[in-house]
Amino acid sequence: MIWIVGAGICRGQMTERGKELLRNADIVYGSRRAFELIDFELKDRKILNRFDNSVFEEIAREGKEKEIVVLSTGDPMVAGLGRKFREMGVEVEIEPGISSVQVALAKLKVDLSEVVVVDCHARDFDSSILDFLKHRHLLILADRRFDLTKLGDRRVAVLENLCMEGESVREGFADSVEIKSDYAVIFVERDKEMVE
């Protein structure tokens, strides 16, 4: 059996059920960052340095004989490892965690139902996404390669390194704010003239 367990993005954000799954696992896989978020001993832990298909295929084979947990930062189903296993057709169970999306929205005091979440982390930005601004705010998961000028002259809030050293929240116009981290969340307010 394979479980994908969300560790949250801050220490203490893992569910009690997630902790129990980790304690009972034969092997726990995760990134260094994911293991930094937990504070208890495990039977056997293996650090993932690569996230390619061959690694996940090996985990899938082990899951046929052992209780495996893959520890995911944030939430496995918010631009996380859950999607990777689903795309490969591997049967897994998911235990959610607190994602950077939830932490960012809490800091901004914006309800999740008012935003469209877009994953542009290591991906190109499709400008047609801006059409969503007619109805909802945008919350973009990004890295330092993201070109903020593609957002035009809109006001943005850039939240970086949430729950990590160097956490910051900066606001300004898209063409005057710089992304300095590979762990960025960009909030773009919906077009006011479109709101009734």
Side-chain angles (χ1 to χ4, degrees), residues 4-78:
I4 314 296
V5 174
I9 64 165
C10 305
R11 287 178 78 89
Q13 290 182 337
M14 181 184 292
T15 66
E16 290 300 316
R17 180 175 169 188
K19 291 176 186 177
E20 191 64 28
L21 289 166
L22 268 89
R23 287 186 185 107
N24 292 330
D26 295 317
I27 303 171
V28 178
Y29 287 89
S31 66
R32 289 187 198 290
R33 168 89 175 116
F35 283 121
E36 288 171 3
L37 296 170
I38 62 170
D39 58 359
F40 51 90
E41 292 299 315
L42 302 169
K43 290 178 195 171
D44 187 8
R45 70 180 207 158
K46 294 186 179 179
I47 295 176
L48 293 173
N49 294 310
R50 296 185 350 253
F51 295 89
D52 56 44
N53 284 355
S54 64
V55 171
F56 295 114
E57 288 166 0
E58 177 61 29
I59 292 170
R61 280 191 291 277
E62 281 189 299
K64 292 177 182 173
E65 299 174 10
K66 299 178 180 179
E67 290 294 316
I68 304 293
V69 169
V70 179
L71 189 59
S72 176
T73 56
D75 184 280
M77 294 311 297
V78 180

Side-chain angles (χ1 to χ4, degrees), residues 11-163:
R11 287 178 78 89
Q13 290 182 337
M14 181 184 292
T15 66
E16 290 300 316
R17 180 175 169 188
K19 291 176 186 177
E20 191 64 28
L21 289 166
L22 268 89
R23 287 186 185 107
N24 292 330
D26 295 317
I27 303 171
V28 178
Y29 287 89
S31 66
R32 289 187 198 290
R33 168 89 175 116
F35 283 121
E36 288 171 3
L37 296 170
I38 62 170
D39 58 359
F40 51 90
E41 292 299 315
L42 302 169
K43 290 178 195 171
D44 187 8
R45 70 180 207 158
K46 294 186 179 179
I47 295 176
L48 293 173
N49 294 310
R50 296 185 350 253
F51 295 89
D52 56 44
N53 284 355
S54 64
V55 171
F56 295 114
E57 288 166 0
E58 177 61 29
I59 292 170
R61 280 191 291 277
E62 281 189 299
K64 292 177 182 173
E65 299 174 10
K66 299 178 180 179
E67 290 294 316
I68 304 293
V69 169
V70 179
L71 189 59
S72 176
T73 56
D75 184 280
M77 294 311 297
V78 180
L81 293 177
R83 177 173 64 186
K84 179 74 170 171
F85 280 93
R86 184 192 71 213
E87 288 170 353
M88 292 178 61
V90 177
E91 187 66 34
V92 297
E93 295 293 327
I94 306 290
E95 178 63 21
I98 304 294
S99 71
S100 59
V101 167
Q102 292 161 297
V103 173
L105 291 173
K107 288 185 178 293
L108 297 167
K109 296 175 180 52
V110 174
D111 192 281
L112 178 60
S113 67
E114 298 173 357
V115 301
V116 172
V117 178
V118 179
D119 182 11
C120 290
H121 196 245
R123 290 180 169 84
D124 289 333
F125 177 74
D126 179 353
S127 60
S128 68
I129 291 168
L130 295 175
D131 291 341
F132 286 116
L133 290 170
K134 295 174 185 171
H135 309 287
R136 297 277 188 270
H137 307 299
L138 276 180
L139 199 70
I140 302 169
L141 306 176
D143 55 34
R144 70 182 82 221
R145 291 171 291 188
F146 185 86
D147 183 2
L148 281 168
T149 62
K150 291 183 176 184
L151 299 176
D153 61 354
R154 293 177 171 86
R155 288 196 56 79
V156 298
V158 177
L159 301 92
E160 293 179 302
N161 300 323
L162 294 172
C163 296

